[in-house]
């Protein structure tokens, strides 16, 4: 059969793909038992493989065609995918079928997420199952468990230095505990998200141990160099990720007498994806994790997975090809699985990872940063500028909108966007750093610096949502008015992330206003990383306070108030079809302190207004009428009716979700 491309020309690569598949399909028959052939298991896999094969072959050929053993690795990759599908449970395969028929299932207004560290939230996986009623009470339908696999002893970068992808940290439980939790979450209608840490392993991972023992095959799983010649050439164009921890991107290993590429910490060895054996091995680990019952995989550190001399080794085209190849194989062997991108990089680069064929959902770091920026400046112009051309995504994808997470806050807005508004990006970041560390006069925030680089001036911010929004300061001052303002700030921010389009994600503990935990410095393994200040242990006794009349001085009434307000916003979101999907249009508001946008979906329409100041703000009636396309509205949060014959006066940090009456 002669294959032609869209322009009518012969496509030799497509021909090679067809020839290769013709050779490989008979070999795959050895994977299946007679029963699996008869019950359709082999047929379903083969049909998906044939459908995805042109894309998969082109991706892998582009990455690895220079290898003399390309066809061997191609065959091994397919065997790995077939074995992954064989090992997938019946319930997961049934769910795969449903999701293939409803590929936008994650865009529903009912999707609301929460992230947590198992040990800090519930001690272990077994006790976490007991928390499912709490998740349902809050309104969650998606739970992200921070890294829980076996890690190196001591400092392990908060779980991101993985020793074994097939073993749970024994302090948390076992793989069987994880599978049981996944089953019970699924029965409760809650999706499970886990991290896929695929840029690096721990230095005590099985592969790294073999490399240290002198096994050349496993040394090729990493970037190992006998002297500084190559590392020094690379260093000319690399940046330092954790400059206060160590300098440079390479670590000397005495046992091997080699330099090892370590982008993040000296104990996290970067994997060498130039070697197709690494791709196949990580595919096997990915499918194992997926088959425990995971619905969503957060792809960690996606920007760093491909290295090339003379570049900064971030966001390279091959990084996208690798993720697309993993996506393609997931479509074949775990079709219900969704990828979540973790690319905390320039906004122009973030969006490049998002697509139905790459990462279907992605963190929205730019929105997060600019919501905090708008709170500090009391002005929404930079936020509006960014939303006007950066919020829209490809069909079949969604943002994950968050305010805080386990990580720091970096000011990832675009300097060109800022420059068009007369804002100097560097100077503005310095202001924001001062504001959110409480150094700027009049600041309400109580954040702390993370990874301050005096040479470049770069710095990020650590701190909980409540401490950054002013609650810590307000409680210190015993000022009821400041407490009220801080609670309003928190609800304002959540009112936007819950409504602007995408999946809202809480960092659990925020729902009751957890404050900074300064006791992290008492733990030597954590003392050098200020991000632990916003990773406190869950205090379950606070939940009892919600049900009791606890005086405000002890904090119970404040926590209960925050919890109930966020719980109500979540409940409202899940009742509004207009908040499904990604349809969002900014509404011109003749007031720079107020953000306005309309959400629309399948004929449903909701107008959102948010006041980013501690003072009342006027919104012209005509802005509401033309934005909401009506004369009379109901605020779904307060149940009040609003008419447009007079201008609207918004309360300090006021939030309105308006539907036409």
């Amino acid at each position: 059969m002669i294959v032609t491309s869209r322009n009518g020309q012969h496509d030799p690569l497509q021909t090679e793909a067809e020839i290769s598949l013709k050779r490989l399909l008979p070999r795959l028959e050895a994977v299946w038992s007679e029963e699996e052939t008869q019950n359709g298991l082999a047929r379903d896999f083969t049909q998906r493989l044939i459908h995805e094969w042109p894309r998969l072959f082109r991706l892998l050929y582009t990455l690895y065609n220079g290898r003399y053993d390309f066809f061997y690795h191609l065959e091994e990759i397919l065997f790995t995918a077939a074995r992954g599908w064989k090992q997938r449970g019946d319930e997961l395969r049934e769910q795969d079928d449903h999701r293939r028929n409803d590929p936008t299932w994650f865009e529903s207004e009912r999707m609301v997420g929460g992230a947590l560290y198992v040990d800090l939230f519930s001690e272990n996986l077994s006790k976490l199952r007991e928390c499912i009623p709490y998740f349902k009470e809050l309104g969650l339908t998606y739970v992200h468990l921070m890294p829980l696999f076996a890690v190196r002893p001591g400092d392990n970068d908060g779980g991101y230095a993985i020793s074994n992808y097939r073993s749970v940290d024994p302090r948390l439980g076992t793989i069987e505990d994880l599978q049981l939790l996944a089953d019970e979450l699924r029965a409760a209608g809650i999706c499970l998200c886990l991290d896929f840490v695929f840029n690096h392993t721990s230095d005590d991972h099985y592969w790294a141990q073999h490399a240290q023992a002198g096994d050349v095959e496993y040394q090729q799983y990493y970037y190992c160099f006998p002297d500084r010649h190559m590392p020094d050439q690379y260093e000319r164009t690399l940046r330092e990720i954790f400059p206060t921890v160590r300098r440079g991107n390479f670590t000397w290993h005495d046992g091997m007498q080699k330099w090892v590429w370590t982008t993040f910490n000296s104990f996290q060895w970067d994997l060498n994806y130039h070697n197709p054996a690494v791709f196949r091995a990580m595919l096997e680990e990915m499918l194992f994790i997926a088959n425990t019952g995971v619905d969503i995989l957060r792809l960690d550190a996606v920007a760093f997975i491909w290295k090339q001399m003379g570049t900064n080794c971030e966001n390279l085209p091959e990084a996208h090809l690798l993720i697309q190849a993993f996506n393609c194989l997931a479509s074949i062997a775990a079709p219900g699985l969704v990828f979540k991108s973790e690319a905390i990089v320039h906004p122009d680069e973030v969006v490049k990872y998002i697509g139905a064929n790459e990462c279907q959902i992605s963190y929205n770091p730019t929105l997060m940063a600019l919501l905090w920026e708008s709170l500090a400046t009391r002005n929404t112009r930079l936020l509006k500028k960014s939303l006007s051309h950066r919020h829209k995504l490809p069909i079949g994808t969604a943002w994950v909108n968050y305010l805080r997470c386990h990580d720091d806050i970096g000011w990832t807005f675009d300097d060109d966007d800022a420059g068009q508004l007369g804002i100097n990006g560097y100077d503005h970041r310095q202001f924001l750093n001062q504001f959110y560390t409480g150094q700027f006069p009049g600041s309400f925030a109580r954040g702390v610096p993370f990874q301050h680089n005096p040479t470049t001036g770069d710095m990020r911010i650590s701190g909980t949502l409540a401490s950054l929004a002013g609650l810590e300061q307000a409680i210190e001052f015993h000022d009821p008015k400041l407490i009220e303002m801080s609670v309003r700030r928190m609800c304002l921010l959540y009112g936007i992330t819950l409504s602007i389009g995408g999946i809202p994600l809480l960092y659990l503990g925020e729902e009751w206003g957890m404050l900074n935990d300064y006791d992290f410095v008492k733990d030597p393994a954590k003392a050098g990383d200020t991000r632990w200040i916003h990773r406190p242990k869950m205090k379950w006794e606070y939940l009892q306070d919600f049900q009791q009349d606890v005086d405000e001085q002890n904090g119970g009434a404040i926590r209960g108030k925050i919890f109930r307000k966020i719980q109500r916003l979540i409940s409202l979101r899940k009742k509004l079809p207009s908040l499904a999907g990604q349809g969002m249009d900014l509404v011109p508001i003749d007031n720079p302190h107020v953000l306005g946008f309309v959400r629309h979906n399948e004929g449903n329409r909701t107008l959102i207004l948010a006041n980013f100041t501690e003072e009342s703000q006027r919104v012209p009636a005509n802005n509401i009428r033309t934005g909401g396309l009506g004369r009379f509205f109901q605020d779904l949060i307060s149940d009040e009716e609003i008419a447009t014959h007079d201008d609207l006066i918004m309360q300090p940090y006021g939030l309105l979700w308006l539907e036409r009456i």
Side-chain angles (χ1 to χ4, degrees):
M1 172 180 167
I2 300 297
V3 181
T4 58
S5 64
R6 292 178 181 176
N7 61 11
Q9 299 298 312
H10 171 58
D11 185 351
L13 186 58
Q14 186 67 22
T15 301
E16 291 303 316
E18 291 193 355
I19 293 172
S20 296
L21 184 60
K22 185 177 180 180
R23 293 170 178 168
L24 287 166
L25 283 176
R27 302 191 191 196
L28 280 174
E29 292 176 3
V31 174
W32 314 108
S33 67
E34 182 177 348
E35 180 183 356
E36 289 163 342
T37 301
Q38 291 177 352
N39 67 16
L41 197 68
R43 179 201 65 229
D44 292 346
F45 177 87
T46 302
Q47 286 177 347
R48 291 195 299 272
L49 173 61
I50 292 171
H51 180 263
E52 296 286 349
W53 180 250
R55 178 166 74 105
L56 178 62
F57 184 85
R58 188 173 294 274
L59 289 166
L60 294 176
Y61 185 86
T62 302
L63 288 166
Y64 299 122
N65 73 86
R67 295 278 306 206
Y68 73 93
D69 52 357
F70 170 68
F71 195 84
Y72 163 77
H73 288 289
L74 187 64
E75 182 175 13
E76 288 298 303
I77 287 168
L78 292 193
F79 280 144
T80 299
R83 288 191 295 266
W85 173 244
K86 276 187 62 166
Q87 294 160 3
R88 196 156 173 81
D90 291 340
E91 282 192 20
L92 294 178
R93 293 197 197 104
E94 183 179 349
Q95 183 172 267
D96 290 337
D97 288 340
H98 289 306
R99 289 181 177 171
R100 280 169 59 83
N101 292 326
D102 181 19
T104 61
W105 60 272
F106 52 83
E107 295 186 55
S108 167
E109 71 276 12
R110 299 191 59 77
M111 284 292 284
V112 180
L116 60 93
Y117 277 100
V118 174
D119 57 335
L120 298 175
F121 193 80
S122 64
E123 295 185 9
N124 57 53
L125 290 169
S126 180
K127 290 184 178 179
L128 188 60
R129 287 161 45 208
E130 300 172 9
C131 300
I132 292 176
Y134 175 73
F135 298 150
K136 295 183 70 174
E137 179 187 6
L138 182 57
L140 303 185
T141 54
Y142 152 30
V143 172
H144 178 178
L145 308 184
M146 305 307 294
L148 48 73
F149 295 105
V151 293
R152 69 190 301 276
D155 189 2
N156 52 58
D157 190 26
Y160 287 92
I162 293 181
S163 303
N164 188 337
Y165 293 89
R166 302 193 177 212
S167 175
V168 169
D169 185 330
R171 294 169 295 184
L172 305 180
T174 65
I175 282 292
E176 290 72 26
D177 291 329
L178 176 61
Q179 291 170 326
L180 189 56
L181 172 66
D183 291 344
E184 293 194 14
L185 287 171
R186 191 180 316 112
I190 300 173
C191 300
L192 176 61
C193 175
L194 293 185
D195 287 77
F196 183 42
V197 183
F198 73 132
N199 175 72
H200 48 262
T201 73
S202 170
D203 58 2
D204 67 345
H205 188 279
Y206 172 87
W207 305 334
Q209 290 182 4
H210 276 264
Q212 293 166 38
D215 189 325
V216 175
E217 180 179 2
Y218 284 99
Q219 288 182 358
Q220 292 176 355
Y221 272 45
Y222 304 96
Y223 294 90
C224 301
F225 304 96
D227 54 43
R228 287 294 307 185
H229 176 68
M230 293 290 285
D232 285 344
Q233 290 189 55
Y234 277 112
E235 288 281 22
R236 293 172 187 167
T237 52
L238 299 179
R239 68 182 176 105
E240 295 172 329
I241 305 303
F242 294 149
T244 64
V245 175
R246 66 188 183 90
R247 306 312 299 263
N249 291 269
F250 297 85
T251 299
W252 175 253
H253 190 274
D254 281 332
M256 291 192 302
Q257 290 290 292
K258 292 180 184 293
W259 290 93
V260 182
W261 198 315
T262 54
T263 295
F264 295 98
N265 290 286
S266 59
F267 49 80
Q268 292 168 302
W269 289 18
D270 286 39
L271 288 163
N272 177 13
Y273 280 100
H274 288 266
N275 180 356
V278 170
F279 177 87
R280 189 217 64 79
M282 289 305 292
L283 170 68
E284 188 171 355
E285 304 306 284
M286 182 190 83
L287 293 177
F288 177 85
I289 296 170
N291 287 344
T292 63
V294 175
D295 301 279
I296 300 169
L297 279 181
R298 170 191 177 272
L299 304 190
D300 180 61
V302 293
F304 300 90
I305 58 176
W306 191 267
K307 326 296 190 195
Q308 183 175 319
M309 181 71 75
T311 74
N312 65 0
C313 297
E314 297 180 40
N315 306 304
L316 296 179
E318 291 83 357
H320 295 280
L321 298 181
L322 278 170
I323 299 168
Q324 289 167 23
F326 279 122
N327 173 296
C328 193
L329 285 155
S331 298
I332 297 168
L337 186 67
V338 165
F339 286 171
K340 176 166 68 171
S341 165
E342 188 259 352
I344 313 303
V345 293
H346 188 278
D348 289 344
E349 297 296 337
V350 171
V351 74
K352 293 178 183 178
Y353 291 94
I354 307 170
N357 291 331
E358 194 163 342
C359 293
Q360 297 94 331
I361 63 178
S362 170
Y363 285 109
N364 195 346
T366 306
L367 175 67
M368 179 272 297
L370 288 178
L371 287 173
W372 288 110
E373 187 271 348
S374 296
L375 268 191
T377 61
R378 281 75 166 180
N379 194 302
T380 63
R381 58 179 183 152
L382 185 52
L383 173 60
K384 291 175 181 175
K385 177 69 175 177
S386 180
L387 287 172
S388 69
H389 66 116
R390 297 190 184 279
H391 188 73
K392 188 175 181 179
L393 288 180
I395 294 174
T397 64
W399 287 116
V400 175
N401 298 314
Y402 65 107
L403 298 167
R404 292 301 297 114
C405 65
H406 73 288
D407 222 337
D408 54 275
I409 296 176
W411 305 114
T412 55
F413 57 82
D414 178 52
D415 282 358
D416 287 341
D417 285 351
Q420 292 177 37
L421 300 173
I423 299 171
N424 179 285
Y426 178 87
D427 292 343
H428 200 51
R429 289 184 179 89
Q430 302 310 305
F431 156 71
L432 292 169
N433 285 332
Q434 290 183 13
F435 188 93
Y436 281 105
T437 53
Q439 300 174 59
F440 192 83
S443 170
F444 48 72
R446 286 288 187 267
V448 298
F450 176 71
Q451 292 297 320
H452 181 213
N453 188 333
T455 303
T456 64
D458 182 47
M459 187 172 85
R460 282 104 80 193
I461 301 296
S462 295
T464 69
L465 173 77
S467 290
L468 293 173
L471 183 59
E472 183 176 325
Q473 181 199 69
I475 292 175
E476 287 175 1
F477 291 167
H478 303 289
D479 188 323
K481 183 177 180 181
L482 293 181
I483 290 173
E484 174 64 22
M485 289 300 103
S486 66
V487 173
R488 289 191 182 193
R489 290 187 196 104
M490 287 184 265
C491 293
L492 174 80
L493 295 179
Y494 265 115
I496 295 172
T497 58
L498 283 161
S499 62
I500 199 166
I503 304 170
L505 181 66
L506 289 74
Y507 185 53
L508 290 180
E510 293 173 352
E511 71 276 17
W512 44 262
M514 67 177 178
L515 301 178
N516 287 343
D517 178 15
Y518 295 94
D519 286 343
F520 80 95
V521 297
K522 297 178 181 179
D523 185 340
K526 299 176 180 177
D529 186 343
T530 62
R531 292 175 299 179
W532 285 105
I533 202 169
H534 54 252
R535 302 170 183 172
K537 189 175 180 64
M538 178 68 172
K539 293 180 173 60
W540 286 101
E541 62 269 23
Y542 286 173
L543 294 184
Q544 299 173 6
D545 294 346
F546 298 166
Q547 312 300 325
Q548 301 171 6
D549 184 16
V550 180
D551 65 38
E552 198 150 305
Q553 186 174 354
N554 291 329
I558 303 171
R559 289 188 288 269
K561 183 177 185 178
I562 295 168
F563 181 87
R564 286 187 289 272
K565 284 181 175 291
I566 292 177
Q567 182 187 44
R568 173 162 167 73
L569 287 173
I570 291 172
S571 177
L572 283 174
R573 168 192 162 83
K574 294 166 73 174
K575 297 174 183 176
L576 296 177
S578 59
L579 301 187
Q582 297 294 310
M584 189 281 290
D585 296 318
L586 288 174
V587 173
I589 302 292
D590 298 329
N591 186 328
H593 307 296
V594 177
L595 173 69
F597 58 89
V598 169
R599 290 300 318 285
H600 49 84
N601 177 57
E602 296 181 348
N604 301 286
R605 188 178 182 91
T606 304
L607 172 63
I608 314 294
L609 297 174
N611 173 11
F612 275 81
T613 77
E614 56 270 76
E615 299 177 355
S616 298
Q617 295 294 327
R618 181 182 298 275
V619 178
N622 201 50
N623 292 164
I624 301 173
R625 182 181 62 81
T626 56
L629 295 183
R631 296 173 55 210
F632 301 96
F633 297 86
Q634 181 180 21
D635 175 28
L636 302 175
I637 298 173
S638 66
D639 287 330
E640 294 181 1
E641 292 188 9
I642 294 174
T644 58
H645 51 71
D646 291 318
D647 290 350
L648 172 67
I649 304 299
M650 292 192 70
Q651 294 298 309
Y653 297 115
L655 171 70
L656 301 174
W657 286 8
L658 303 179
E659 283 203 342
R660 178 182 168 182
I661 298 175

